[in-house]
Amino acid sequence: FLCMIAAISIDYHILLDFSFPLYGLGLVLLVLVLIFGVERGGATSWFAIGGWQFQPSELAKLATTLFVARYLAEIDRRVLSIQQIAIVAGLVAVPMLLTVVEPDMGGAAMFLPLVGGMLLIAGVKFRYLLIAALLALSLGAVVWSFGMKPYQRERVMTFVQPERDPLGSGYQVRQSKIAVGSGKMFGRGYGQGTQSQLRFLPARHTDFILAVLAEEWGFLGVAVVLSLYVLYIWSGARIAMRARDRAGILVVVGLLSVFCFHVLYNTAMVVGYLPITGIPLPFLSYGGTFTLFNFTATGIILGIDLRRYVNR
């Protein structure tokens, strides 16, 4: 909450002015974590100092959003040129690739909705989107061949054929589906879920927190939580539409795009519609740095709305 209040208090134009140093700091930390970071879940993504841990990819997402928004806001064109799109893609590709090296595929994937949402608002021709889609497919093939570890490929194969390894790589999604289905309409009750309380469900406090919610509170509880997410996104979209300038619109859209992707991917993942990756659920999944990112992003969005009448 302190981070959110601080973000509200600072004029977002000041944040945009310091976006380049913040972007540079994010890149430096992403490089240093590869050397001095600690490994968690197969990825070297965290700094650990005593009992305190910090994930630099979350800072890199926030800094990249501000820096790209600043660059796009200075372009006085309705449609971006190929060169301008390439520059934006390059700005996003650097922290994204550094995150891939960790390897943290879930964290790296979050940069895609960020850049996609901001480019759409800034103005992109349809044929450029088609070219980007083809490049993304090509990049996906390269990542599959050279950028993914065996356990990550196995997760994708298990998603396609869950029955191939029900006690190994397919165990997580199988237990998640059992937890979600057993909740039925009203759930088993708080703290009464067998899959979560007896620890059959892995990562129940992080990636699969929604499965715990479904088991204990049922369809009704999940519907309430998803409705709150819809309200958050709708409110953020309204703030973007009434922002005072192009920079404000772009910042809100970039942050909201990341938020939306987190919600959509995580909810689809826990019911087996998408491969399992380390993509947590905003405001519910346990995680210090991710929670700080969510509250800071919310503060920036509220600060943009607060200043919509300033010097108009």
Side-chain angles (χ1 to χ4, degrees), residues 68 83 126 213 238 247 305:
V68 172
Q83 181 181 3
F126 177 77
L213 178 73
R238 290 186 61 196
D305 194 44

Side-chain angles (χ1 to χ4, degrees), residues 2-311:
L2 290 175
C3 285
M4 184 176 70
I5 293 171
I8 294 173
S9 304
I10 301 173
D11 191 326
Y12 66 97
H13 293 100
I14 296 177
L15 294 175
L16 292 172
D17 289 339
F18 284 93
S19 60
F20 179 68
L22 288 174
Y23 178 78
L25 175 63
L27 296 184
V28 170
L29 291 177
L30 285 176
V31 172
L32 291 178
V33 78
L34 298 174
I35 305 172
F36 303 106
V38 296
E39 183 176 334
R40 296 284 188 276
T44 309
S45 305
W46 287 266
F47 289 113
I49 303 175
W52 181 80
Q53 297 183 12
F54 174 72
Q55 192 172 12
S57 60
E58 300 297 337
L59 172 63
K61 283 192 296 188
L62 185 60
T64 303
T65 302
L66 294 171
F67 192 40
V68 172
R70 175 184 173 182
Y71 172 76
L72 291 174
E74 295 174 352
I75 299 174
D76 189 18
R77 294 184 57 171
R78 293 186 62 184
V79 179
L80 300 176
S81 67
I82 285 288
Q83 181 181 3
Q84 292 163 340
I85 295 174
I87 291 174
V88 171
L91 293 175
V92 175
V94 177
M96 181 178 175
L97 291 175
L98 287 173
T99 307
V100 168
V101 173
E102 293 179 358
D104 180 9
M105 295 300 176
M110 290 302 103
F111 287 92
L112 295 177
L114 184 156
V115 66
M118 296 175 78
L119 285 176
L120 284 174
I121 295 300
V124 180
K125 292 181 179 179
F126 177 77
R127 67 172 179 268
Y128 295 164
L129 294 176
L130 183 60
I131 294 172
L134 294 174
L135 289 175
L137 289 174
S138 302
L139 179 62
V142 173
V143 171
W144 172 267
S145 301
F146 305 104
M148 297 180 71
K149 292 192 173 183
Y151 76 90
Q152 293 171 325
R153 294 195 193 96
E154 187 61 30
R155 284 182 176 180
V156 178
M157 295 303 298
T158 302
F159 162 68
V160 179
Q161 295 178 310
E163 67 281 358
R164 61 184 277 131
D165 191 9
L167 298 179
S169 57
Y171 180 80
Q172 287 179 302
V173 67
R174 187 165 180 259
Q175 296 301 319
S176 179
K177 286 182 177 181
I178 293 173
V180 171
S182 64
K184 299 184 180 179
M185 180 59 71
F186 301 105
R188 293 176 175 268
Y190 177 70
Q192 301 302 312
T194 56
Q195 299 302 113
S196 55
Q197 297 303 318
L198 298 179
R199 303 192 177 186
F200 289 110
L201 180 65
R204 63 193 185 282
H205 62 301
T206 52
D207 298 348
F208 289 94
I209 189 68
L210 189 67
V212 177
L213 178 73
E215 185 180 30
E216 297 187 357
W217 296 97
F219 176 83
L220 184 62
V222 173
V224 170
V225 170
L226 293 181
S227 297
L228 292 173
Y229 282 133
V230 171
L231 179 61
Y232 181 101
I233 295 166
W234 177 72
S235 301
R238 290 186 61 196
I239 290 174
M241 289 187 287
R242 65 187 182 217
R244 58 177 286 201
D245 55 17
R246 182 181 174 92
I249 296 172
L250 290 167
V251 171
V252 175
V253 168
L255 295 175
L256 269 186
S257 297
V258 175
F259 184 90
C260 289
F261 194 83
H262 267 279
V263 174
L264 290 173
Y265 197 102
N266 185 275
T267 53
M269 178 184 73
V270 298
V271 292
Y273 285 138
L274 288 173
I276 296 172
T277 59
I279 296 180
L281 195 62
F283 298 114
L284 284 184
S285 292
Y286 175 86
T289 313
F290 180 62
T291 302
L292 288 177
F293 169 82
N294 288 318
F295 276 91
T296 303
T298 302
I300 292 173
I301 293 173
L302 291 174
I304 290 172
D305 194 44
L306 184 67
R307 290 167 179 84
R308 66 184 186 274
Y309 296 120
V310 178
N311 296 329

